[in-house]
Amino acid sequence: MEDCKKKKIEDYVRSIPDFPQEGIIFRDVTSILEDADGFALAVDSMQKLLEGVDVDVIVGTESRGFIFGAPIAYNLHKPLVLVRKKGKLPCETVEQSYDLEYGSAVIEMHKDSIKPGQKVVIVDDLIATGGTVEAAAKLIEGLGGEVVKLVFLMELAGLKGREKLEKYDVQSVICYEGK
């Protein structure tokens, strides 16, 4: 007998109130990854957002963008390029700094990982303020790539990351209204 009630991706997300501070509901992606059906549904749902998109390269941002970007790149038979924190890549890199809530950070990618004219999709688990992905997009564009889409599993609309990324085609599987 088949299961008549299919689970939605939201059913796999563990929500933890008052973490990391009071008033915040933390949306835990590990509960999706720890369930084979949840992980498959997440990857399939994110990949579905790429139907009809002309893409040459999938870029995953550290670290959960690697987790979701890898199976999507594999399924689409596209290369996977990693965007890492500064100092983690062994070859010549380009870097981009960006602001955090308290301070700043720097990300890098290999200088030869994107060729001029390549169409790029950036994949990550979560869009919050949009800072990391905006910095990744600047790196890609600096190398001559064209960012054709940004794909996220979850979006925290209250942090207004979509507004920061308004010049891009942004899509998320799940959108939570709060922070």
Side-chain angles (χ1 to χ4, degrees):
M1 187 166 139
E2 276 190 50
D3 182 18
C4 293
K5 187 175 181 227
K6 287 191 89 134
K7 288 177 89 173
K8 300 180 303 189
I9 195 66
E10 294 92 327
D11 298 332
Y12 294 97
V13 177
R14 180 172 38 203
S15 296
I16 303 160
D18 300 322
F19 182 84
Q21 62 191 41
E22 192 172 330
I24 300 291
I25 300 174
F26 185 82
R27 308 296 181 175
D28 186 15
V29 73
T30 64
S31 56
I32 296 169
L33 300 173
E34 292 170 359
D35 186 292
D37 291 335
F39 185 36
L41 181 58
V43 171
D44 291 348
S45 298
M46 293 173 81
Q47 187 172 317
K48 188 171 180 60
L49 298 176
L50 295 176
E51 287 179 357
V53 175
D54 183 14
V55 57
D56 300 311
V57 178
I58 303 294
V59 167
T61 54
E62 189 164 338
S63 62
R64 291 176 300 256
F66 302 169
I67 294 169
F68 294 104
I72 292 170
Y74 176 83
N75 290 339
L76 298 178
H77 196 72
K78 301 295 180 185
L80 175 67
V81 171
L82 306 181
V83 171
R84 306 267 342 243
K85 293 174 184 161
K86 185 174 175 62
K88 301 287 186 181
L89 292 171
C91 298
E92 189 177 358
T93 61
V94 289
E95 66 179 49
Q96 180 69 47
S97 62
Y98 63 100
D99 292 328
L100 300 168
E101 190 174 357
Y102 303 104
S104 63
V106 178
I107 56 171
E108 296 180 317
M109 65 191 309
H110 282 135
K111 190 175 185 177
D112 61 357
S113 61
I114 301 293
K115 313 294 184 275
Q118 285 186 314
K119 293 175 177 16
V120 179
V121 169
I122 302 175
V123 174
D124 206 352
D125 70 318
L126 177 73
I127 176 176
T129 64
T132 305
V133 170
E134 180 186 41
K138 287 179 181 177
L139 284 174
I140 292 160
E141 292 163 349
L143 293 173
E146 177 190 352
V147 177
V148 295
K149 193 160 203 154
L150 309 175
V151 174
F152 303 94
L153 180 61
M154 296 185 282
E155 177 176 355
L156 302 178
L159 294 175
K160 303 189 184 315
R162 186 178 285 267
E163 291 175 18
K164 181 178 279 191
L165 302 169
E166 66 185 351
K167 77 177 206 175
Y168 301 104
D169 180 0
V170 177
Q171 284 198 280
S172 58
V173 175
I174 308 169
C175 184
Y176 294 105
E177 291 307 313
K179 299 177 180 180

PDB file of all heavy atoms in Angstrom, residues 62-83:
ATOM      1  N   GLU A  62      30.298  27.779   0.629  1.00  0.00           N
ATOM      2  CA  GLU A  62      30.657  27.048   1.840  1.00  0.00           C
ATOM      3  C   GLU A  62      29.597  27.248   2.918  1.00  0.00           C
ATOM      4  O   GLU A  62      29.170  28.378   3.136  1.00  0.00           O
ATOM      5  CB  GLU A  62      32.018  27.528   2.347  1.00  0.00           C
ATOM      6  CG  GLU A  62      32.545  26.689   3.453  1.00  0.00           C
ATOM      7  CD  GLU A  62      34.056  26.903   3.696  1.00  0.00           C
ATOM      8  OE1 GLU A  62      34.777  27.355   2.807  1.00  0.00           O
ATOM      9  OE2 GLU A  62      34.477  26.592   4.806  1.00  0.00           O
ATOM     10  N   SER A  63      29.235  26.234   3.586  1.00  0.00           N
ATOM     11  CA  SER A  63      29.552  24.842   3.349  1.00  0.00           C
ATOM     12  C   SER A  63      28.326  24.049   2.877  1.00  0.00           C
ATOM     13  O   SER A  63      28.452  23.072   2.160  1.00  0.00           O
ATOM     14  CB  SER A  63      30.124  24.205   4.609  1.00  0.00           C
ATOM     15  OG  SER A  63      29.165  24.225   5.664  1.00  0.00           O
ATOM     16  N   ARG A  64      27.166  24.495   3.253  1.00  0.00           N
ATOM     17  CA  ARG A  64      25.987  23.710   2.872  1.00  0.00           C
ATOM     18  C   ARG A  64      25.626  23.861   1.406  1.00  0.00           C
ATOM     19  O   ARG A  64      24.921  23.024   0.850  1.00  0.00           O
ATOM     20  CB  ARG A  64      24.827  24.020   3.812  1.00  0.00           C
ATOM     21  CG  ARG A  64      25.107  23.468   5.221  1.00  0.00           C
ATOM     22  CD  ARG A  64      24.035  23.841   6.196  1.00  0.00           C
ATOM     23  NE  ARG A  64      23.892  25.259   6.342  1.00  0.00           N
ATOM     24  CZ  ARG A  64      24.323  25.964   7.381  1.00  0.00           C
ATOM     25  NH1 ARG A  64      24.943  25.367   8.370  1.00  0.00           N
ATOM     26  NH2 ARG A  64      24.134  27.265   7.432  1.00  0.00           N
ATOM     27  N   GLY A  65      26.126  24.891   0.750  1.00  0.00           N
ATOM     28  CA  GLY A  65      25.960  24.999  -0.694  1.00  0.00           C
ATOM     29  C   GLY A  65      26.681  23.875  -1.421  1.00  0.00           C
ATOM     30  O   GLY A  65      26.281  23.464  -2.513  1.00  0.00           O
ATOM     31  N   PHE A  66      27.739  23.340  -0.784  1.00  0.00           N
ATOM     32  CA  PHE A  66      28.440  22.175  -1.360  1.00  0.00           C
ATOM     33  C   PHE A  66      27.525  20.957  -1.328  1.00  0.00           C
ATOM     34  O   PHE A  66      27.463  20.172  -2.262  1.00  0.00           O
ATOM     35  CB  PHE A  66      29.697  21.815  -0.567  1.00  0.00           C
ATOM     36  CG  PHE A  66      30.734  22.887  -0.420  1.00  0.00           C
ATOM     37  CD1 PHE A  66      31.777  22.701   0.467  1.00  0.00           C
ATOM     38  CD2 PHE A  66      30.692  24.079  -1.130  1.00  0.00           C
ATOM     39  CE1 PHE A  66      32.764  23.657   0.632  1.00  0.00           C
ATOM     40  CE2 PHE A  66      31.672  25.052  -0.964  1.00  0.00           C
ATOM     41  CZ  PHE A  66      32.713  24.829  -0.078  1.00  0.00           C
ATOM     42  N   ILE A  67      26.830  20.799  -0.195  1.00  0.00           N
ATOM     43  CA  ILE A  67      25.993  19.618   0.024  1.00  0.00           C
ATOM     44  C   ILE A  67      24.874  19.551  -1.005  1.00  0.00           C
ATOM     45  O   ILE A  67      24.594  18.486  -1.552  1.00  0.00           O
ATOM     46  CB  ILE A  67      25.405  19.642   1.459  1.00  0.00           C
ATOM     47  CG1 ILE A  67      26.528  19.505   2.481  1.00  0.00           C
ATOM     48  CG2 ILE A  67      24.356  18.544   1.631  1.00  0.00           C
ATOM     49  CD1 ILE A  67      26.096  19.785   3.912  1.00  0.00           C
ATOM     50  N   PHE A  68      24.235  20.690  -1.284  1.00  0.00           N
ATOM     51  CA  PHE A  68      23.125  20.700  -2.231  1.00  0.00           C
ATOM     52  C   PHE A  68      23.598  20.907  -3.669  1.00  0.00           C
ATOM     53  O   PHE A  68      22.998  20.395  -4.607  1.00  0.00           O
ATOM     54  CB  PHE A  68      22.089  21.751  -1.829  1.00  0.00           C
ATOM     55  CG  PHE A  68      21.408  21.419  -0.532  1.00  0.00           C
ATOM     56  CD1 PHE A  68      21.744  22.073   0.628  1.00  0.00           C
ATOM     57  CD2 PHE A  68      20.459  20.417  -0.474  1.00  0.00           C
ATOM     58  CE1 PHE A  68      21.136  21.750   1.836  1.00  0.00           C
ATOM     59  CE2 PHE A  68      19.841  20.074   0.715  1.00  0.00           C
ATOM     60  CZ  PHE A  68      20.184  20.741   1.880  1.00  0.00           C
ATOM     61  N   GLY A  69      24.672  21.642  -3.840  1.00  0.00           N
ATOM     62  CA  GLY A  69      25.195  21.891  -5.182  1.00  0.00           C
ATOM     63  C   GLY A  69      25.767  20.648  -5.832  1.00  0.00           C
ATOM     64  O   GLY A  69      25.622  20.452  -7.049  1.00  0.00           O
ATOM     65  N   ALA A  70      26.422  19.786  -5.048  1.00  0.00           N
ATOM     66  CA  ALA A  70      27.072  18.595  -5.610  1.00  0.00           C
ATOM     67  C   ALA A  70      26.079  17.649  -6.294  1.00  0.00           C
ATOM     68  O   ALA A  70      26.293  17.276  -7.455  1.00  0.00           O
ATOM     69  CB  ALA A  70      27.880  17.869  -4.537  1.00  0.00           C
ATOM     70  N   PRO A  71      24.991  17.235  -5.656  1.00  0.00           N
ATOM     71  CA  PRO A  71      24.082  16.325  -6.356  1.00  0.00           C
ATOM     72  C   PRO A  71      23.385  16.990  -7.547  1.00  0.00           C
ATOM     73  O   PRO A  71      23.107  16.329  -8.550  1.00  0.00           O
ATOM     74  CB  PRO A  71      23.085  15.878  -5.292  1.00  0.00           C
ATOM     75  CG  PRO A  71      23.198  16.850  -4.184  1.00  0.00           C
ATOM     76  CD  PRO A  71      24.587  17.420  -4.256  1.00  0.00           C
ATOM     77  N   ILE A  72      23.127  18.286  -7.447  1.00  0.00           N
ATOM     78  CA  ILE A  72      22.507  18.986  -8.577  1.00  0.00           C
ATOM     79  C   ILE A  72      23.468  19.024  -9.755  1.00  0.00           C
ATOM     80  O   ILE A  72      23.086  18.723 -10.887  1.00  0.00           O
ATOM     81  CB  ILE A  72      22.043  20.397  -8.158  1.00  0.00           C
ATOM     82  CG1 ILE A  72      20.875  20.297  -7.172  1.00  0.00           C
ATOM     83  CG2 ILE A  72      21.648  21.226  -9.378  1.00  0.00           C
ATOM     84  CD1 ILE A  72      20.489  21.607  -6.506  1.00  0.00           C
ATOM     85  N   ALA A  73      24.732  19.372  -9.496  1.00  0.00           N
ATOM     86  CA  ALA A  73      25.739  19.388 -10.563  1.00  0.00           C
ATOM     87  C   ALA A  73      25.885  17.993 -11.173  1.00  0.00           C
ATOM     88  O   ALA A  73      25.950  17.841 -12.403  1.00  0.00           O
ATOM     89  CB  ALA A  73      27.079  19.886 -10.023  1.00  0.00           C
ATOM     90  N   TYR A  74      25.915  16.982 -10.328  1.00  0.00           N
ATOM     91  CA  TYR A  74      26.026  15.600 -10.802  1.00  0.00           C
ATOM     92  C   TYR A  74      24.833  15.226 -11.688  1.00  0.00           C
ATOM     93  O   TYR A  74      25.000  14.706 -12.793  1.00  0.00           O
ATOM     94  CB  TYR A  74      26.119  14.650  -9.602  1.00  0.00           C
ATOM     95  CG  TYR A  74      26.139  13.199  -9.992  1.00  0.00           C
ATOM     96  CD1 TYR A  74      27.321  12.581 -10.376  1.00  0.00           C
ATOM     97  CD2 TYR A  74      24.967  12.450  -9.985  1.00  0.00           C
ATOM     98  CE1 TYR A  74      27.336  11.245 -10.747  1.00  0.00           C
ATOM     99  CE2 TYR A  74      24.979  11.113 -10.351  1.00  0.00           C
ATOM    100  CZ  TYR A  74      26.159  10.514 -10.731  1.00  0.00           C
ATOM    101  OH  TYR A  74      26.173   9.193 -11.108  1.00  0.00           O
ATOM    102  N   ASN A  75      23.632  15.506 -11.201  1.00  0.00           N
ATOM    103  CA  ASN A  75      22.424  15.159 -11.955  1.00  0.00           C
ATOM    104  C   ASN A  75      22.354  15.868 -13.296  1.00  0.00           C
ATOM    105  O   ASN A  75      21.866  15.309 -14.274  1.00  0.00           O
ATOM    106  CB  ASN A  75      21.165  15.488 -11.149  1.00  0.00           C
ATOM    107  CG  ASN A  75      20.966  14.569  -9.964  1.00  0.00           C
ATOM    108  OD1 ASN A  75      21.506  13.463  -9.916  1.00  0.00           O
ATOM    109  ND2 ASN A  75      20.216  15.039  -8.986  1.00  0.00           N
ATOM    110  N   LEU A  76      22.819  17.124 -13.345  1.00  0.00           N
ATOM    111  CA  LEU A  76      22.767  17.914 -14.579  1.00  0.00           C
ATOM    112  C   LEU A  76      24.023  17.731 -15.436  1.00  0.00           C
ATOM    113  O   LEU A  76      24.116  18.304 -16.512  1.00  0.00           O
ATOM    114  CB  LEU A  76      22.578  19.398 -14.248  1.00  0.00           C
ATOM    115  CG  LEU A  76      21.293  19.772 -13.517  1.00  0.00           C
ATOM    116  CD1 LEU A  76      21.273  21.262 -13.210  1.00  0.00           C
ATOM    117  CD2 LEU A  76      20.067  19.358 -14.314  1.00  0.00           C
ATOM    118  N   HIS A  77      24.971  16.959 -14.923  1.00  0.00           N
ATOM    119  CA  HIS A  77      26.257  16.716 -15.582  1.00  0.00           C
ATOM    120  C   HIS A  77      26.963  18.044 -15.880  1.00  0.00           C
ATOM    121  O   HIS A  77      27.354  18.338 -17.006  1.00  0.00           O
ATOM    122  CB  HIS A  77      26.082  15.870 -16.852  1.00  0.00           C
ATOM    123  CG  HIS A  77      27.379  15.284 -17.323  1.00  0.00           C
ATOM    124  ND1 HIS A  77      28.006  14.259 -16.676  1.00  0.00           N
ATOM    125  CD2 HIS A  77      28.173  15.619 -18.364  1.00  0.00           C
ATOM    126  CE1 HIS A  77      29.127  13.962 -17.297  1.00  0.00           C
ATOM    127  NE2 HIS A  77      29.260  14.777 -18.338  1.00  0.00           N
ATOM    128  N   LYS A  78      27.079  18.864 -14.825  1.00  0.00           N
ATOM    129  CA  LYS A  78      27.742  20.166 -14.907  1.00  0.00           C
ATOM    130  C   LYS A  78      28.881  20.201 -13.894  1.00  0.00           C
ATOM    131  O   LYS A  78      28.836  19.512 -12.872  1.00  0.00           O
ATOM    132  CB  LYS A  78      26.768  21.317 -14.571  1.00  0.00           C
ATOM    133  CG  LYS A  78      25.545  21.384 -15.472  1.00  0.00           C
ATOM    134  CD  LYS A  78      25.896  21.700 -16.904  1.00  0.00           C
ATOM    135  CE  LYS A  78      24.641  21.752 -17.767  1.00  0.00           C
ATOM    136  NZ  LYS A  78      24.961  21.949 -19.175  1.00  0.00           N
ATOM    137  N   PRO A  79      29.904  21.018 -14.151  1.00  0.00           N
ATOM    138  CA  PRO A  79      30.972  21.156 -13.158  1.00  0.00           C
ATOM    139  C   PRO A  79      30.452  21.857 -11.905  1.00  0.00           C
ATOM    140  O   PRO A  79      29.515  22.658 -11.974  1.00  0.00           O
ATOM    141  CB  PRO A  79      32.026  22.011 -13.870  1.00  0.00           C
ATOM    142  CG  PRO A  79      31.355  22.617 -15.042  1.00  0.00           C
ATOM    143  CD  PRO A  79      30.138  21.807 -15.355  1.00  0.00           C
ATOM    144  N   LEU A  80      31.088  21.536 -10.781  1.00  0.00           N
ATOM    145  CA  LEU A  80      30.774  22.171  -9.504  1.00  0.00           C
ATOM    146  C   LEU A  80      31.979  22.999  -9.085  1.00  0.00           C
ATOM    147  O   LEU A  80      33.096  22.483  -8.990  1.00  0.00           O
ATOM    148  CB  LEU A  80      30.477  21.128  -8.429  1.00  0.00           C
ATOM    149  CG  LEU A  80      30.244  21.662  -7.015  1.00  0.00           C
ATOM    150  CD1 LEU A  80      28.951  22.471  -6.942  1.00  0.00           C
ATOM    151  CD2 LEU A  80      30.213  20.516  -6.012  1.00  0.00           C
ATOM    152  N   VAL A  81      31.764  24.273  -8.851  1.00  0.00           N
ATOM    153  CA  VAL A  81      32.816  25.182  -8.396  1.00  0.00           C
ATOM    154  C   VAL A  81      32.512  25.551  -6.947  1.00  0.00           C
ATOM    155  O   VAL A  81      31.364  25.846  -6.608  1.00  0.00           O
ATOM    156  CB  VAL A  81      32.873  26.440  -9.294  1.00  0.00           C
ATOM    157  CG1 VAL A  81      33.800  27.486  -8.693  1.00  0.00           C
ATOM    158  CG2 VAL A  81      33.319  26.064 -10.700  1.00  0.00           C
ATOM    159  N   LEU A  82      33.557  25.548  -6.131  1.00  0.00           N
ATOM    160  CA  LEU A  82      33.400  25.840  -4.711  1.00  0.00           C
ATOM    161  C   LEU A  82      33.811  27.266  -4.393  1.00  0.00           C
ATOM    162  O   LEU A  82      34.856  27.733  -4.843  1.00  0.00           O
ATOM    163  CB  LEU A  82      34.254  24.884  -3.871  1.00  0.00           C
ATOM    164  CG  LEU A  82      34.037  23.390  -4.114  1.00  0.00           C
ATOM    165  CD1 LEU A  82      34.945  22.586  -3.187  1.00  0.00           C
ATOM    166  CD2 LEU A  82      32.586  23.007  -3.941  1.00  0.00           C
ATOM    167  N   VAL A  83      32.993  27.945  -3.608  1.00  0.00           N
ATOM    168  CA  VAL A  83      33.333  29.233  -3.025  1.00  0.00           C
ATOM    169  C   VAL A  83      33.612  28.962  -1.555  1.00  0.00           C
ATOM    170  O   VAL A  83      32.742  28.455  -0.839  1.00  0.00           O
ATOM    171  CB  VAL A  83      32.196  30.264  -3.203  1.00  0.00           C
ATOM    172  CG1 VAL A  83      32.475  31.523  -2.396  1.00  0.00           C
ATOM    173  CG2 VAL A  83      32.006  30.606  -4.670  1.00  0.00           C
TER     174      VAL A  83
END
